[in-house]
Amino acid sequence: MTAGALAQKSSQINVEYADFSDVNQTEIPDALLLRGNVRVSHEGVVFTCNKAYFFQKENYIKAFGEVQMVQGDTLFLNSKYAEYNGKVKQAYATGNVIMRSPESTLVTDTINFDRNVQEAFYNSYGTITNKDNTLKSKSGRYYAKEKKFRFLTAVTITNPKYTIKSNHLDYYTNSGHSYLFGPSTITSKENYIYTEKGFYDTKKNLAHFLRKSYIKYKDRRIEGDSLYYDRNREYASATNNVKITDSINKGLIKGHYAEIYRNLKKQTDSIMITKRAVAITLVEKDSMYVHGKKMLITGKAGERIVRGFNNVRFYKTDMSGKCDSIHSDQKKALTKLIGKPILWNYENQMTGDVMHLIGNNKTEKLDSLKVLNNAFIVSKDSVGTGYNQVKGQNLYGKFKDNKLYEVDVIKNTEVVYYMRNDQHELIGINKNVSSKINMTLDKSTIDTITFFNNVDGDIYPEKDLPENARKLRGFIWRGDERIKSKDDIFPAEENELDAKIQAERKAEMAKEDKPLEPRKETLDYDKNNPKPVVK
């Protein structure tokens, strides 16, 4: 609407009262001088001041000293000096300006107010107080109908529990809702939050963050395409491309949905992650990848317990395996493979009812292996088509530099072993039973094999040992199931889900506008707190 159209509809400013008035004063000949308890009104707004000049032809007033503009019960504007144009319904105030509404108070130096659109604008640094929150900014705009402040330059919200900083923020004074656009940070004693698009309910302490968002605790960093956060419960959930980095334990958890609870008093937390979930732990210079349909991580730093359920698969450069579920206790350095476990160490396939991997917390390396009940170790013959097999009740292995180098198999042991000379020529097939077997390994090759107590068997020429006698009872070669890379730990349906999510994310990012520049505080924080690197 043009100023001309507004002028036709606007009425004349009405002088209601003044202790003294003079139309013939000489200071400003074109104006009516009003002095002492001045009160004027115009279409629902009332002005009071100590002194005023009223330009009747222009329908314009200049007010001095203890100026107040009142618009019903929704807006109160106080200042040392003000101007008001009745034709275009616009006000200007300066000098210790205080603008109050039922929800908030703004203190600044200069402000402009347009009654037509019910918007106020300031560009002279302002402080807004709203119950528990204090907002400071270089400039801002207030939308009276919506009870909303909009800031497009550096703004800071200070709350007893946290501080919000952004270059673009919409704040609703009645609800306490804040909408963050562009690089923004929320800093508290408990954590540090970064987002480039987010919502924060300052009354309920609930938040939802999108676009490059993360929550950083002392020992954890939580990332995801979408983050939900409840500060009162210290609960967070993350959806799509979730990453939870454990900076103390050099671990990384990934998936497409996660829930995180933190107990700040006990310094413990619990994490549930699913949808292509994987826990990655750095073991010396190698990484162990563990996948389960659902992964649970609980406990405080240094005492984490990792549990995986349903079709667990894991991979490490020299070791991989599968089982129904897994339980790993960091403090005890004990990992239990539960339910039909199978383990491949180089070319050696091991099975049993239960498997335990024991580590050394001092060296952070694998120490030993236990296979309890129905232990079975198989490897392909290095040249022929046969299989070296050892079985017994239990198997105990020792690791050196994270490589299995010695194995003891005890109770009711049986063996089928292809014996070859240095030229890899077959000497014969050793088939026997004994009370105990000790083997030393060189990666996939059995270096030595020793039998103890009650040894009964022989070394047979290949032609004298039938094919059906070359396989021990319970023998199953499962080489086609072997996990040979970190990508093999995921079932096909979860890879399909991942591909769909990545395609949707790529399409969404293509729609996004050019991101705003981060504030200096954000750059300084990222510089002093670099993102942890986990292989």
Side-chain angles (χ1 to χ4, degrees):
M1 187 176 289
T2 63
L6 291 169
Q8 292 176 4
K9 292 186 177 183
S10 64
S11 61
Q12 192 72 8
I13 293 173
N14 178 37
V15 178
E16 297 184 0
Y17 183 84
D19 290 341
F20 173 81
S21 64
D22 185 359
V23 72
N24 297 314
Q25 52 85 25
T26 58
E27 293 181 26
I28 304 179
D30 298 332
L32 169 66
L33 171 64
L34 304 170
R35 191 192 303 275
N37 297 309
V38 178
R39 178 185 173 95
V40 301
S41 62
H42 184 253
E43 297 185 4
V45 66
V46 176
F47 293 88
T48 58
C49 61
N50 295 333
K51 174 183 175 183
Y53 289 103
F54 177 34
F55 301 85
Q56 293 171 293
K57 290 182 179 180
E58 292 83 3
N59 203 20
Y60 190 86
I61 191 169
K62 293 183 177 181
F64 303 83
E66 298 183 16
V67 181
Q68 183 178 64
M69 183 187 85
V70 180
Q71 179 179 274
D73 58 356
T74 60
L75 193 68
F76 302 84
L77 184 63
N78 295 76
S79 62
K80 289 183 177 180
Y81 173 76
E83 298 179 10
Y84 178 74
N85 188 327
K87 290 183 179 180
V88 294
K89 298 182 183 179
Q90 292 181 351
Y92 165 83
T94 188
N96 297 334
V97 175
I98 300 175
M99 185 180 76
R100 291 181 293 112
S101 69
E103 299 82 18
S104 62
T105 300
L106 164 66
V107 177
T108 186
D109 181 71
T110 302
I111 200 166
N112 292 275
F113 180 59
D114 187 337
R115 294 188 61 208
N116 299 294
V117 292
Q118 290 294 298
E119 293 180 13
F121 172 77
Y122 65 94
N123 192 25
S124 54
Y125 287 99
T127 299
I128 301 160
T129 54
N130 172 240
K131 294 186 178 179
D132 290 334
N133 300 315
T134 301
L135 296 83
K136 293 185 177 181
S137 67
K138 181 180 179 181
S139 63
R141 186 177 293 271
Y142 178 66
Y143 300 81
K145 292 180 180 178
E146 299 175 63
K147 295 181 174 58
K148 178 181 77 172
F149 279 95
R150 169 166 288 176
F151 309 95
L152 298 178
T153 56
V155 58
T156 299
I157 300 178
T158 303
N159 181 282
K161 294 182 178 180
Y162 55 82
T163 301
I164 300 175
K165 294 184 178 181
S166 180
N167 279 335
H168 183 178
L169 182 146
D170 287 356
Y171 179 77
Y172 290 81
T173 58
N174 58 340
S175 64
H177 291 176
S178 298
Y179 292 85
L180 308 165
F181 305 93
S184 307
T185 61
I186 305 173
T187 306
S188 69
K189 183 179 178 181
E190 294 81 21
N191 56 39
Y192 173 89
I193 300 171
Y194 175 86
T195 184
E196 293 189 6
K197 185 179 181 181
F199 162 80
Y200 198 99
D201 186 331
T202 61
K203 289 185 177 180
K204 296 181 179 178
N205 279 316
L206 301 176
H208 184 206
F209 305 114
L210 304 166
R211 195 189 299 176
K212 300 180 181 178
S213 304
Y214 64 82
I215 303 173
K216 177 73 171 63
Y217 291 92
K218 182 180 179 180
D219 57 342
R220 288 206 188 280
R221 175 184 170 117
I222 304 163
E223 306 171 59
D225 291 350
S226 174
L227 296 177
Y228 170 82
Y229 177 58
D230 183 340
R231 185 179 296 277
N232 297 321
R233 294 191 296 150
E234 275 305 328
Y235 163 84
S237 67
T239 305
N240 293 347
N241 294 297
V242 180
K243 292 183 181 179
I244 304 174
T245 307
D246 188 331
S247 55
I248 292 179
N249 298 304
K250 301 177 183 178
L252 178 65
I253 306 160
K254 300 170 70 175
H256 287 306
Y257 181 74
E259 293 185 359
I260 304 98
Y261 294 88
R262 291 186 67 88
N263 187 320
L264 298 176
K265 291 182 179 179
K266 296 182 179 180
Q267 290 297 303
T268 62
D269 57 21
S270 61
I271 299 170
M272 185 282 295
I273 190 160
T274 185
K275 295 185 179 179
R276 210 171 185 266
V278 57
I280 306 169
T281 306
L282 192 63
V283 181
E284 205 178 21
K285 295 182 180 180
D286 197 4
S287 292
M288 172 76 86
Y289 297 80
V290 181
H291 162 74
K293 189 174 182 180
K294 180 189 288 186
M295 303 289 295
L296 297 177
I297 299 92
T298 58
K300 58 185 179 182
E303 298 181 9
R304 307 282 191 211
I305 293 177
V306 178
R307 288 172 285 177
F309 304 94
N310 296 342
N311 194 18
V312 172
R313 305 179 183 191
F314 56 92
Y315 171 80
K316 189 172 168 287
T317 302
D318 52 9
M319 182 184 296
S320 62
K322 302 195 300 183
C323 56
D324 292 338
S325 63
I326 192 169
H327 184 286
S328 183
D329 188 319
Q330 183 184 21
K331 186 176 182 180
K332 295 179 180 178
L334 173 62
T335 299
K336 298 178 182 179
L337 311 181
I338 305 164
K340 300 176 184 178
I342 181 169
L343 181 70
W344 290 277
N345 180 245
Y346 291 102
E347 304 301 323
N348 301 305
Q349 172 188 294
M350 286 167 277
T351 56
D353 291 350
V354 175
M355 287 189 187
H356 292 176
L357 287 166
I358 300 98
N360 185 316
N361 282 332
K362 291 183 179 179
T363 63
E364 296 185 346
K365 295 180 181 181
L366 285 172
D367 179 77
S368 55
L369 165 70
K370 292 180 181 180
V371 181
L372 307 176
N373 299 326
N374 299 312
F376 215 125
I377 180 168
V378 182
S379 64
K380 275 189 172 182
D381 177 34
S382 59
V383 176
T385 58
Y387 296 89
N388 294 315
Q389 306 152 59
V390 178
K391 66 177 291 189
Q393 183 172 329
N394 296 329
L395 180 152
Y396 301 95
K398 295 292 292 182
F399 288 92
K400 182 184 292 184
D401 297 326
N402 292 314
K403 297 176 180 63
L404 189 64
Y405 80 97
E406 186 176 12
V407 171
D408 286 318
V409 183
I410 65 170
K411 292 186 180 180
N412 304 320
T413 61
E414 300 179 57
V415 66
V416 171
Y417 177 56
Y418 288 73
M419 302 180 66
R420 296 183 178 275
N421 60 22
D422 293 340
Q423 287 72 42
H424 302 291
E425 296 171 338
L426 183 62
I427 298 172
I429 303 173
N430 189 341
K431 182 177 182 180
N432 68 48
V433 297
S434 62
S435 298
K436 176 183 175 182
I437 297 173
N438 174 269
M439 295 183 294
T440 58
L441 305 173
D442 182 11
K443 292 186 178 179
S444 61
T445 305
I446 296 177
D447 196 27
T448 66
I449 183 167
T450 307
F451 307 97
F452 297 90
N453 302 332
N454 304 319
V455 181
D456 184 12
D458 206 345
I459 299 174
Y460 298 89
E462 186 176 14
K463 62 183 179 61
D464 292 342
L465 191 65
E467 284 289 339
N468 61 359
R470 299 180 189 181
K471 294 180 180 177
L472 299 177
R473 187 176 181 180
F475 166 84
I476 300 176
W477 177 246
R478 297 167 61 182
D480 57 339
E481 299 179 38
R482 183 179 171 188
I483 299 166
K484 297 181 179 179
S485 75
K486 62 183 181 181
D487 297 321
D488 289 346
I489 63 176
F490 301 109
E493 63 270 17
E494 296 201 17
N495 285 330
E496 291 172 4
L497 171 67
D498 181 65
K500 180 181 178 182
I501 290 173
Q502 301 311 333
E504 291 174 351
R505 185 191 193 201
K506 185 176 180 181
E508 189 65 28
M509 291 180 67
K511 298 178 184 177
E512 293 181 357
D513 297 330
K514 183 179 178 181
L516 300 175
E517 292 296 321
R519 291 177 60 166
K520 183 177 183 298
E521 295 95 326
T522 304
L523 295 174
D524 290 344
Y525 181 91
D526 289 340
K527 180 180 178 181
N528 297 324
N529 297 269
K531 183 177 178 180
V533 177
V534 178
K535 294 177 68 177

